Amino acid sequence: MDGITERVLEGLATLGNSHVREARVFRAPGRVNLIGEHTDYNLGFVMPVALDLACYAATAPRVDGILRIHSRNMNDTRELPVDDIKELKPAGHWSDYVLGAAKEVALAGYPVEAADLVIESTVPVGAGLSSSAAIEVSSALAFLRGRSIDKLELVKLARRVENDFVGMPCGIMDQFISVHGQENRAVRLDCRSLGHELVPLPFSVRVIAVNSMVKHDLGASAYPQRVRECAEAVAVYAERIPGVASLRDLTAEQYRHFDEYVSVPARWRARHVISENERVLAFREACVRHDRAEMGQLFYSSHKSMRDDYEISCAEIDFLVETAMAHSGCYGARLTGGGFGGCTVNLVAPEAVDTFKQAVAEAYHKQFGIIPTFYDCHPAAGAGEASLG
Ligand code: GLA
């Protein structure tokens, strides 16, 4: 049994749960997105990997009709009558991700029983590594307590926690990869058909995430605003080209043909999404060819497109990207996740990982007075039950 599994089980005992012997533990990972940013809600392509960093949820039954949840990260507990779960409203609190999962499980027709649930996550919050999907998916599995559910149904259920309960209009990438992650593989997902393909990464590159340790508040309002701007661009093309229902349907040529009818900044947002979809497909090809230089170039073009067209970068992230690009052992760097802070993702030669980390940490500290955190991203397995043996 690993340390975190032990800790969440201990957490149940500390809460005074008297059925700890019936406890089960479920794990769901965070992710780093390699390429394909803000393309998921435009029904395009993404290519994330699941991480070793994950949320663990331990659950054991109660007999008094109460649902009690405890977060070890927040050191906070909430409880409510389990019968109220379907009527629950969000509270703007960490517990929304857990109780939202309980509500969606119940609404999907799986009765939620009285229980204690203890969570602990190693996915950093606000780092763009999908800490919320890890909580949603692990909590949903805990409330299901081993009842079988189709993987895609679980993905959609967890996304509804975000869209319908928390009120964040995100796409499907984070919940999808948390459920479908595979060891040693990236996952290229078509966000329209939801078909996916496992892509091995060349052995000769390491994926390193660098946490800027900043998260600018703007992100919360900018995300729904970007979603609206994309819809505004789609409306212009849908009037002119039959069959266009999302930015996914547009080629670069069709985009250029009518772009002057789209007002700025929606025009730039659409240009990012269309070029980013092309980059995901090209990146997949470059991976297969083990073409590290091309993979790195695509990373950097993606970054520039997010910085200039999608306008979701910030000074700290741009600095981390430029510093990384200047290091001889780094093939490419880009912002990853929703934007306005969080992490960069970097492709680094294995023998250069240590000097890369040192050079980036020193330069970043000198410029901003902040020590960044580094994560070696080994593609990990998707969500499931943790072994208690
Ligand atoms: C957040 C959202 C995802 C996706 C990314 C940007 O992580 O939850 O659905 O849109 O931002 O690529």
Side-chain angles (χ1 to χ4, degrees), residues 198-233:
L198 302 176
V199 183
L201 298 173
F203 286 119
S204 50
V205 292
R206 294 276 185 280
V207 177
I208 309 288
V210 183
N211 191 345
S212 67
M213 314 303 277
V214 298
K215 185 75 192 172
H216 299 289
D217 289 346
L218 183 61
S221 55
Y223 192 98
Q225 191 188 333
R226 296 296 179 280
V227 174
R228 286 193 298 273
E229 287 161 352
C230 290
E232 184 190 324

Side-chain angles (χ1 to χ4, degrees), residues 40 45 53 86 94 191:
D40 61 352
F45 302 105
L53 304 168
K86 284 189 184 169
W94 66 268
C191 299

Side-chain angles (χ1 to χ4, degrees), residues 347-377:
L347 298 175
V348 182
E351 64 282 4
V353 167
D354 292 341
T355 60
F356 170 81
K357 289 180 181 170
Q358 201 181 342
V360 171
E362 272 174 24
Y364 191 62
H365 184 253
K366 192 161 169 229
Q367 184 76 10
F368 293 102
I370 301 172
I371 298 171
T373 304
F374 295 89
Y375 310 99
D376 294 62
C377 304

Side-chain angles (χ1 to χ4, degrees), residues 29-284:
R31 60 102 186 95
V32 65
N33 188 23
L34 295 181
I35 196 158
E37 221 64 81
H38 288 267
T39 45
D40 61 352
Y41 53 83
N42 288 301
L43 306 186
F45 302 105
V46 293
M47 196 163 151
V49 300
L51 298 176
D52 290 333
L53 304 168
C55 183
Y56 285 64
T59 180
R62 292 171 66 105
V63 288
D64 57 358
I66 296 290
L67 186 60
R68 185 164 54 161
I69 63 168
H70 176 80
S71 159
R72 287 182 43 88
N73 300 84
M74 307 300 287
N75 189 22
D76 191 30
T77 307
R78 272 201 68 188
E79 60 176 66
L80 73 162
V82 74
D83 289 343
D84 293 354
I85 203 73
K86 284 189 184 169
E87 312 307 325
L88 202 67
K89 300 273 180 287
H93 191 249
W94 66 268
S95 58
D96 286 352
Y97 300 97
V98 181
L99 294 176
K103 179 173 178 175
E104 290 302 334
V105 166
L107 290 177
Y110 302 88
V112 170
E113 311 286 346
D116 283 332
L117 186 135
V118 173
I119 63 165
E120 179 174 334
S121 181
T122 54
V123 190
V125 174
L129 300 180
S130 197
S131 57
S132 46
I135 301 179
E136 290 150 9
V137 173
S138 57
S139 301
L141 285 172
F143 291 120
L144 286 161
R145 260 189 88 78
R147 281 172 288 184
S148 84
I149 184 168
D150 174 68
K151 277 188 171 189
L152 207 47
E153 191 187 346
L154 174 61
V155 169
K156 291 177 179 171
L157 187 158
R159 183 186 178 193
R160 287 198 297 273
V161 177
E162 199 81 49
N163 290 169
D164 299 351
F165 192 74
V166 176
M168 160 81 174
C170 69
I172 202 162
M173 166 169 67
D174 303 348
Q175 293 78 16
F176 190 94
I177 186 66
S178 189
V179 172
H180 288 87
Q182 290 276 332
E183 267 183 70
N184 301 321
R185 295 288 182 270
V187 174
R188 190 190 63 86
L189 170 66
D190 177 335
C191 299
R192 170 171 277 159
S193 71
L194 300 181
H196 73 285
E197 172 198 21
L198 302 176
V199 183
L201 298 173
F203 286 119
S204 50
V205 292
R206 294 276 185 280
V207 177
I208 309 288
V210 183
N211 191 345
S212 67
M213 314 303 277
V214 298
K215 185 75 192 172
H216 299 289
D217 289 346
L218 183 61
S221 55
Y223 192 98
Q225 191 188 333
R226 296 296 179 280
V227 174
R228 286 193 298 273
E229 287 161 352
C230 290
E232 184 190 324
V234 170
V236 170
Y237 286 91
E239 265 183 24
R240 289 167 177 81
I241 308 174
V244 169
S246 77
L247 291 178
R248 155 69 180 277
D249 298 316
L250 289 176
T251 63
E253 200 182 315
Q254 289 171 318
Y255 164 77
R256 280 192 297 270
H257 206 73
F258 294 113
D259 65 346
E260 77 267 28
Y261 296 98
V262 185
S263 54
V264 163
R267 188 191 303 170
W268 302 336
R269 310 300 188 236
R271 185 167 58 188
H272 163 74
V273 172
I274 292 161
S275 63
E276 185 77 350
N277 277 330
E278 287 178 350
R279 281 186 290 271
V280 178
L281 302 180
F283 186 81
R284 182 245 177 229

Side-chain angles (χ1 to χ4, degrees), residues 296-297 300 320-328 330-333 346 356:
Q297 275 315 307
Y300 191 48
L320 285 173
V321 167
E322 295 308 327
T323 308
M325 291 304 297
H327 191 277
S328 58
C330 178
Y331 296 104
N346 303 264
F356 170 81

